[in-house]
Amino acid sequence: MTSELRELYQTLILDHNRNPRNFGSLEDADRSADGFNPLCGDKIHLTLKLRGDVVEDVRFEGSGCAISTASASLMTQAVRNRPVAEVTRLFERFHRLVTSDAADPVNGQDLGKLAVFAGVRQFPVRVKCATLAWHTLKNALEGRSEPARTE
Ligand code: ZN
């Protein structure tokens, strides 16, 4: 990872952990889901509102480490006002990035700020922290009721 990306990673994670965006819950949510990462103790509750097949609004609450909180915060920003099919593709690309080999060049194409999570590739345990919100979102979109677990 370039030092520029590493610096951006640290800045964004600190910022979004300290001041998470879209934190809270939607009273008139169409979907909701819970996620739990037992390895780290991260917990998340996600609520979202659909307009047709577009994610109109999404909020999260819970408690966890800086990476899980920052990842959930950045995810809510990234998926808002996007069609569900696009959100699914975004998750696939994000997942591919964070599970790729740490020695590979970062392929952050179309991921925007989410590309900074390439920083977790060096720390396999942290991959679960970074993907928890996404697994929970997927369950919410698919209407699954059992909590998302990262194991
Ligand atoms: Zn964590």
Side-chain angles (χ1 to χ4, degrees):
M1 192 156 71
T2 64
S3 61
E4 215 171 302
L5 190 59
R6 191 172 301 126
E7 211 167 285
L8 186 61
Y9 168 72
Q10 279 157 358
T11 306
L12 269 176
I13 285 183
L14 285 177
D15 174 32
H16 281 259
N17 178 50
R18 209 175 290 149
N19 182 20
R21 320 298 198 270
N22 302 310
F23 194 83
S25 67
L26 294 165
E27 270 177 28
D28 53 348
D30 296 312
R31 303 281 175 86
S32 69
D34 292 289
F36 179 50
N37 173 17
L39 267 180
C40 181
D42 308 316
K43 279 184 196 148
I44 182 173
H45 179 68
L46 201 84
T47 48
L48 66 92
K49 216 173 151 37
L50 295 169
R51 190 184 64 244
D53 66 346
V54 171
V55 176
E56 188 177 58
D57 204 356
V58 54
R59 303 280 165 89
F60 80 100
E61 55 194 352
S63 60
C65 67
I67 291 174
S68 71
T69 302
S71 177
S73 173
L74 281 153
M75 179 194 78
T76 59
Q77 288 190 320
V79 304
R80 239 171 150 187
N81 287 316
R82 283 217 200 199
V84 172
E86 232 177 80
V87 170
T88 305
R89 277 197 298 275
L90 196 61
F91 177 35
E92 283 165 8
R93 281 202 296 271
F94 180 75
H95 197 264
R96 217 176 299 140
L97 173 74
V98 297
T99 55
S100 61
D101 196 291
D104 289 349
V106 173
N107 181 4
Q109 222 184 348
D110 309 323
L111 282 170
K113 286 180 190 168
L114 297 172
V116 301
F117 285 96
V120 303
R121 300 188 306 175
Q122 281 114 317
F123 314 99
V125 168
R126 291 304 187 185
V127 171
K128 296 185 191 303
C129 303
T131 55
L132 177 66
W134 288 91
H135 285 293
T136 309
L137 175 67
K138 189 164 182 260
N139 275 12
L141 289 172
E142 289 172 358
R144 285 199 230 138
S145 54
E146 75 272 23
R149 290 173 74 98
T150 49
E151 289 190 305

Short mmCIF file of all heavy atoms in Angstrom, two decimals, residues 10 17 25 51 53 68 89 93 100 112 142 148:
data_model
loop_
_atom_site.label_atom_id
_atom_site.label_comp_id
_atom_site.label_asym_id
_atom_site.label_seq_id
_atom_site.Cartn_x
_atom_site.Cartn_y
_atom_site.Cartn_z
N GLN A 10 -5.87 5.93 7.73
CA GLN A 10 -5.88 6.30 9.15
C GLN A 10 -6.78 7.50 9.41
O GLN A 10 -7.55 7.52 10.36
CB GLN A 10 -4.45 6.57 9.63
CG GLN A 10 -3.74 5.26 9.95
CD GLN A 10 -2.22 5.38 9.90
OE1 GLN A 10 -1.70 6.44 9.59
NE2 GLN A 10 -1.54 4.30 10.21
N ASN A 17 -14.90 7.03 12.89
CA ASN A 17 -15.13 6.38 14.18
C ASN A 17 -15.55 7.42 15.21
O ASN A 17 -16.46 7.20 16.01
CB ASN A 17 -13.84 5.68 14.64
CG ASN A 17 -14.03 5.03 16.00
OD1 ASN A 17 -15.00 4.31 16.23
ND2 ASN A 17 -13.11 5.29 16.91
N SER A 25 -31.33 4.96 14.06
CA SER A 25 -32.20 3.99 13.40
C SER A 25 -33.39 4.71 12.78
O SER A 25 -33.78 5.79 13.22
CB SER A 25 -32.67 2.91 14.37
OG SER A 25 -33.51 3.46 15.34
N ARG A 51 -37.00 2.57 -1.78
CA ARG A 51 -37.96 3.23 -2.66
C ARG A 51 -37.88 2.46 -3.97
O ARG A 51 -36.92 2.61 -4.72
CB ARG A 51 -37.59 4.69 -2.86
CG ARG A 51 -38.67 5.52 -3.58
CD ARG A 51 -38.19 6.94 -3.84
NE ARG A 51 -37.04 6.97 -4.73
CZ ARG A 51 -35.83 7.40 -4.39
NH1 ARG A 51 -35.60 7.88 -3.21
NH2 ARG A 51 -34.83 7.39 -5.27
N ASP A 53 -36.60 -0.28 -5.96
CA ASP A 53 -35.43 -1.13 -5.69
C ASP A 53 -34.20 -0.27 -5.38
O ASP A 53 -33.07 -0.70 -5.57
CB ASP A 53 -35.18 -2.10 -6.85
CG ASP A 53 -34.78 -1.35 -8.12
OD1 ASP A 53 -34.97 -0.12 -8.16
OD2 ASP A 53 -34.27 -1.99 -9.06
N SER A 68 -14.80 -1.36 12.48
CA SER A 68 -16.18 -1.76 12.19
C SER A 68 -17.09 -0.53 12.15
O SER A 68 -17.98 -0.44 11.30
CB SER A 68 -16.69 -2.79 13.20
OG SER A 68 -16.89 -2.21 14.47
N ARG A 89 -23.22 -5.44 -6.15
CA ARG A 89 -21.95 -5.44 -6.89
C ARG A 89 -20.85 -4.72 -6.11
O ARG A 89 -19.69 -5.15 -6.11
CB ARG A 89 -22.14 -4.79 -8.27
CG ARG A 89 -22.70 -5.74 -9.32
CD ARG A 89 -22.48 -5.20 -10.72
NE ARG A 89 -23.16 -3.93 -10.93
CZ ARG A 89 -24.44 -3.80 -11.30
NH1 ARG A 89 -25.15 -4.88 -11.50
NH2 ARG A 89 -24.98 -2.62 -11.47
N ARG A 93 -17.22 -6.19 -4.89
CA ARG A 93 -15.92 -5.56 -5.18
C ARG A 93 -15.17 -5.26 -3.89
O ARG A 93 -13.96 -5.44 -3.79
CB ARG A 93 -16.13 -4.28 -6.00
CG ARG A 93 -16.37 -4.52 -7.47
CD ARG A 93 -16.04 -3.29 -8.28
NE ARG A 93 -16.92 -2.19 -7.94
CZ ARG A 93 -18.09 -1.95 -8.53
NH1 ARG A 93 -18.50 -2.71 -9.51
NH2 ARG A 93 -18.84 -0.94 -8.16
N SER A 100 -8.12 -9.65 -0.82
CA SER A 100 -7.05 -9.88 -1.79
C SER A 100 -5.70 -9.93 -1.07
O SER A 100 -5.59 -9.51 0.08
CB SER A 100 -7.05 -8.80 -2.87
OG SER A 100 -6.84 -7.52 -2.31
N GLY A 112 -14.30 4.31 -4.62
CA GLY A 112 -14.20 5.61 -3.95
C GLY A 112 -13.42 5.48 -2.64
O GLY A 112 -12.41 4.78 -2.57
N GLU A 142 -31.88 -9.06 1.78
CA GLU A 142 -32.44 -10.36 1.40
C GLU A 142 -33.55 -10.79 2.35
O GLU A 142 -34.12 -11.87 2.19
CB GLU A 142 -31.32 -11.41 1.36
CG GLU A 142 -30.38 -11.18 0.18
CD GLU A 142 -29.15 -12.09 0.21
OE1 GLU A 142 -29.00 -12.89 1.16
OE2 GLU A 142 -28.35 -11.98 -0.74
N ALA A 148 -26.44 -11.67 11.14
CA ALA A 148 -25.26 -11.93 10.31
C ALA A 148 -24.08 -12.15 11.22
O ALA A 148 -23.85 -11.39 12.16
CB ALA A 148 -25.00 -10.74 9.39
#
